[in-house]
Amino acid sequence: MHNYTIAQLRKMLDAKEFSSVELTQHYLNRIHQHQDTLNAFITICDETALQQAAEADKRIQKGDIEPLTGIPLAQKDIFCTKGIKTTCASKMLDNFIAPYESTLTQQFLNAGAVMLGKTNMDEFAMGSSNENSFYGPTKNPWDVTTVPGGSSGGSSAAVAALLSPGATASDTGGSIRQPAGLTGICGIKPTYGSISRYGMIAFASSLDQAGPMARTAEDLAILLNCMTGFDPKDSTSVDHPHDDYTTQLNQSLKGLRIGIPVDFFDDRLNPDMANTIQEAIRVFETQGATIHDIHLPHNHAAIAAYYVIAPAECSSNLARFDGVRYGYRCNNPENLLDLYRRSRSEGFGAEVKRRIMVGTYALSSKVYDACYLKAQKIRRLITQDFIEAFKNVDMIMGPTSPSTAFKLGERCQDPVQMYLSDMYTIAVNLAGLPGASIPAGFINNMPVGLQIIGHYFDEARMMGIAHQFQQLTDWHLQVPSNFK
Ligand code: GLN
């Protein structure tokens, strides 16, 4: 049962080949079976999942069916789920039962989808390897001595190991695309503002964007249809006509103009990775797409700008965790200041503290102009580079990540090396553009992700292009041998 895509499962549920309860139980069994090895979940929701599945079965009986009715999914533990522990992988929220539902998870509930559980992640979505989780690292199903990427490593590992046919994730600087790339699955971060951030625990609000992960582009399109839409509860939600993301799946690649950022293929890119990506791009060429070199002259400054802007926003967003209102509180505080200080220093992990300190510094009056204002100017230049490039090309393609999955522990002592994992993804968040990663090959049995960057609100076409690629290749159908 676990080998089917969401689109296939829909047909099988409708044909009553099995019930949603049977399907859900099957996935729950797999999750429990592999939890010790992968640690992909923080909370497994056996009871509520089976209740939701039973409700979905009733809907299916009555013919009240939406595309996701009865489909089991995993939710990143960054989304508030009413009555269910919502931790953001932090000790700070280890005891937090969300009192309300995020808009995103509510949309899935309305559609009759089943929530299998809440997936592991880097604490407050800060990281590129899932090693910053209070609950321990998630492992990559392709090689459990390597990382699954981050921050959405639990979601990507769950989908790659067929513990769930799809999952939600979030991407502030690459956290959907990079883990999707490192685990050989598909993921898309849509245009900023497309999916509500209401109830998604904030890291860097001007960059945070939710999105789906799945095994095929078609499934991403189905999930996106449920996830996007205007939400008055989110002040940055965009009121944009809602595409049906599946409508362009069968469009031909003929005449598609693909831009290749020459700056992405310098000596920092592993040569095997460069070859694999170039071969993938050739597949599009054989279908009549044309290839054009483009320049993104300010991309080299993206990481530096991001690591001012994201920490600045996080230092403000995380100020709410003060030990007073909710979350972790230290024992026997001597006074109010001691309560703040110890609750925060005991409740947050090392990377989160590093970001809060960097962000607070960048916003301080002495360096504000030199750091924060400068970073915002760079952000504008980066955005303009993309807008300029999209005058001549329809899509931009390149690697998702500079290397395949690295070993657990390898980059923990060197934050800068860790930050460089996102050198091809971060600019897309700074510009607010949609970016996807799809499986494009293997190097030494480890998956390689191809990044596809589209113009604002061009997700339907991106899904079509990815779908066409998946009609011609079978990288996305490969499954790690211990999880078949
Ligand atoms: N790796 C980046 C960071 O640590 C991006 C994380 C994300 O996209 N949530 O901030």
Side-chain angles (χ1 to χ4, degrees), residues 207-276:
L207 300 158
D208 296 344
Q209 179 62 66
M213 288 176 164
R215 289 177 67 213
T216 64
E218 181 183 21
D219 282 359
L220 288 186
I222 294 169
L223 291 168
L224 273 181
N225 276 343
C226 179
M227 296 165 80
T228 57
F230 176 64
D231 182 9
K233 292 186 196 147
D234 170 2
S235 62
T236 57
S237 172
V238 181
D239 197 358
H240 189 265
H242 189 320
D243 279 334
D244 176 344
Y245 299 100
T246 62
T247 51
Q248 296 191 36
L249 292 180
N250 294 321
Q251 215 147 69
S252 134
L253 295 169
K254 206 163 180 297
L256 177 76
R257 298 170 303 166
I258 301 174
I260 310 296
V262 285
D263 333 61
F264 282 15
F265 289 84
D266 61 13
D267 55 3
R268 285 178 302 176
L269 183 64
N270 165 325
D272 291 336
M273 184 66 97
N275 287 336
T276 310

Side-chain angles (χ1 to χ4, degrees), residues 318-442:
L318 270 57
R320 72 191 70 180
F321 300 107
D322 54 9
V324 176
R325 287 165 286 194
Y326 51 88
Y328 178 79
R329 177 181 294 176
C330 67
N331 283 329
N332 307 320
E334 277 169 22
N335 51 40
L336 186 61
L337 201 61
D338 188 47
L339 168 82
Y340 290 151
R341 191 181 292 141
R342 283 206 290 121
S343 298
R344 285 169 69 78
S345 52
E346 291 166 17
F348 289 135
E351 182 62 24
V352 173
K353 286 183 210 166
R354 182 180 297 127
R355 307 272 177 119
I356 293 173
M357 284 191 285
V358 169
T360 308
Y361 176 75
L363 291 174
S364 62
S365 59
K366 267 197 202 137
V367 300
Y368 180 91
D369 285 4
C371 289
Y372 186 71
L373 210 61
K374 180 73 136 288
Q376 292 291 15
K377 287 179 181 169
I378 294 170
R379 182 175 193 174
R380 171 52 59 95
L381 291 171
I382 286 171
T383 307
Q384 276 165 353
D385 286 349
F386 279 113
I387 291 174
E388 207 44 50
F390 279 122
K391 287 183 183 158
N392 302 311
V393 299
D394 304 305
M395 289 290 152
I396 296 174
M397 290 189 193
T400 300
S401 188
S403 67
T404 55
F406 45 94
K407 292 275 180 201
L408 285 153
E410 188 183 304
R411 300 189 185 166
C412 288
Q413 300 312 319
D414 186 350
V416 173
Q417 201 53 38
M418 188 70 93
Y419 296 170
L420 287 172
S421 313
D422 294 317
M423 60 198 268
Y424 304 121
T425 50
I426 271 181
V428 175
N429 298 74
L430 290 169
L433 289 163
S437 179
I438 60 170
F442 287 84

